Amino acid sequence: MSKKAFIFDLDGVVVDTAKFHFVAWQKLAAELGIAFAEAENEQLKGVSRVRSLEKILAWGNKTIDQETFDRKLIQKNEEYLEMVETLTQDDILPGVHDFLLRLRESEQPIALGSASKNARPILKKLGIHDLFDAIVDGTDVSKAKPDPEVFLKACDLLDMPSKNAIVFEDSISGVQAANNAGMISIGLGEVKNLSEADEVFESFLEMPANYQEQLLNKTK
């Protein structure tokens, strides 16, 4: 069995914390007098906290000084982390834990590649931190997806070439980042949102066992 670098995004792939982001961003936007709904939240998937606030301000045609900007970022993160504290292993998305264990048993290298600066504490809350050989999050990169920096760094840490990497993503920017790095991109969600991915499945439960086996020998 050949070795592959299996790289997972966090939000929307391993766990659904998007709902926490949505609640926190919606509250912040309301305080600024800006409308914020699910459509806007979808556009923030895979986007850094700083860039997310910039986009929200642009949507509302608002400007704030740097001190207020920084304070709002801290406020949003604190409210998000309060909700993260409620996470347990039961919050891991269906099929993910079993797939990670299967990769571990096959001695396949596993990495996390996420824009979240809270990736490590979230994985610990979920009880799966030790299943990852490498973790690259928002504290380790300077370029946001669709730039492939986060996935390329993951490959470096795993000592694997990018052509042997398989990325699991739920956002179009993440899929584009994987494609830009010459990696296999597996979209998790709706085909209409992830049409640029090499393959799309609604969830890990919808990914056939024989396809999972094929991934071990698949190349771009």
Side-chain angles (χ1 to χ4, degrees), residues 106-175:
S106 300
E107 298 183 347
Q108 294 291 336
I110 307 171
L112 188 89
S114 169
S116 173
K117 292 184 178 181
N118 301 302
R120 288 172 173 85
I122 289 174
L123 291 178
K124 288 177 181 176
K125 289 291 293 184
L126 297 173
I128 56 175
H129 184 275
D130 293 343
L131 292 180
F132 291 85
D133 300 298
I135 296 173
V136 183
D137 64 14
T139 65
D140 304 310
V141 296
S142 59
K143 299 172 184 175
K145 303 169 185 176
D147 189 282
E149 181 186 17
V150 65
F151 296 143
L152 292 174
K153 282 200 171 188
C155 276
D156 286 343
L157 290 174
L158 295 176
D159 195 25
M160 294 288 288
S162 58
K163 67 179 181 179
N164 287 348
I166 299 170
V167 175
F168 300 91
E169 265 286 354
D170 73 316
S171 70
I172 186 59
S173 61
V175 166

Side-chain angles (χ1 to χ4, degrees), residues 18 21-22 25 36-45 59:
H21 285 297
F22 177 57
W25 282 128
F36 186 85
E38 290 283 2
E40 286 76 28
N41 192 58
E42 187 69 25
Q43 295 181 55
L44 300 186
K45 285 185 175 180
W59 292 332

Side-chain angles (χ1 to χ4, degrees), residues 102 201 206-217:
R102 186 176 184 185
F201 298 95
E206 301 300 318
M207 189 185 299
N210 64 335
Y211 181 78
Q212 294 180 19
E213 206 61 48
Q214 290 171 24
L215 284 177
L216 300 178
N217 298 298

